[in-house]
Amino acid sequence: MTDSTAAAAPPKHDKFISYVHTLCQDNRTRAELRRGLGLPVERCNYMHRYLVPWLHQHDDVSYPDTRRAYYGVASLIAARPRAARQTEPTDTSAASWYLRPNLGSVLGEAVKKDVMKAGTAESALHLMSRQSSDAVHRTLPSLTRQLLSGGMAVDWSVLLKDLSWWTQDRDAITTRWLDQYFRRSTPTGVPDNTTDLPEENER
């Protein structure tokens, strides 16, 4: 994935997220989408009726990670805690892709607001940076639930695109996540520790 292809959010991703939010207004549909949490597409039989027609019209999902990303994000949205479901999703579609919050950015904000401990957030990011697409999808349900329960907002479109490219571009994606995490979680200003230096290092 080049910088030029990542610079703008594909409208199809935002349209898909809006479509899933609409589906989730029906309790039965939301329950059936939620059944796919952390599962591979081959085990998401109840989701096909809702997602296959949309994907057939809007995207080429011949690449396995791409289809898995759509199914995974749809199930994550369906599994949101009640409080998160009652909050209108923030419309960030007009913002430049790199200005929209990725998962690292959300984790950084969670640390800053004491929703999550820094060690826990960093460990999650470093673990995912070494994991396969399948393992990351199994990790996300508990992680996103903790974030949403703490009042944090997840930009599902950004997560959808990152997951779609995971196998091909994992190192670049996790570098962006870690970059935004430390930008958000680290307090402004770097502590001045020069007074603690040994005397010989001050010469």
Side-chain angles (χ1 to χ4, degrees), residues 147-160:
L147 291 169
L148 295 169
S149 296
M152 308 305 301
V154 175
D155 191 322
W156 301 111
S157 294
V158 175
L159 183 61
L160 172 58

Side-chain angles (χ1 to χ4, degrees), residues 31-49 51-52 64 67-68 71-72 75 134 137-138:
E32 292 185 341
L33 292 175
R34 189 172 59 236
R35 294 175 73 168
L37 271 179
L39 298 178
V41 173
E42 294 77 11
R43 295 177 59 193
C44 295
N45 294 335
Y46 286 91
M47 300 181 71
H48 298 321
R49 65 180 299 183
L51 303 190
V52 169
R67 189 172 185 185
R68 179 75 186 272
Y71 278 63
S75 65
D134 189 59
H137 278 280
R138 292 196 302 267

Side-chain angles (χ1 to χ4, degrees), residues 14-69:
D14 289 315
K15 289 179 180 177
F16 178 75
I17 300 306
S18 296
Y19 171 67
V20 174
H21 277 292
T22 300
L23 289 175
C24 288
Q25 292 174 9
D26 179 80
N27 290 337
R28 178 180 175 180
T29 303
R30 185 175 68 249
E32 292 185 341
L33 292 175
R34 189 172 59 236
R35 294 175 73 168
L37 271 179
L39 298 178
V41 173
E42 294 77 11
R43 295 177 59 193
C44 295
N45 294 335
Y46 286 91
M47 300 181 71
H48 298 321
R49 65 180 299 183
Y50 305 108
L51 303 190
V52 169
W54 195 96
L55 294 173
H56 179 69
Q57 295 178 26
H58 295 86
D59 200 2
D60 173 14
V61 290
S62 57
Y63 186 62
D65 270 6
T66 302
R67 189 172 185 185
R68 179 75 186 272

Side-chain angles (χ1 to χ4, degrees), residues 78-126:
R80 290 169 299 159
R82 183 183 298 274
R85 297 201 305 267
Q86 294 173 344
T87 303
E88 284 293 321
T90 303
D91 183 8
T92 57
S93 58
S96 171
W97 189 251
Y98 279 118
L99 296 179
R100 295 172 64 166
N102 60 35
L103 187 60
S105 176
V106 180
L107 286 168
E109 284 293 322
V111 169
K112 187 184 296 184
K113 296 180 179 179
D114 293 323
V115 172
M116 184 178 289
K117 294 186 180 298
T120 303
E122 286 183 44
S123 294
L125 284 171
H126 286 298

Side-chain angles (χ1 to χ4, degrees), residues 157-173:
S157 294
V158 175
L159 183 61
L160 172 58
K161 186 170 184 183
D162 285 344
L163 292 175
S164 296
W165 285 89
W166 190 262
T167 298
Q168 292 180 306
D169 224 13
R170 181 182 62 188
D171 290 345
I173 293 166

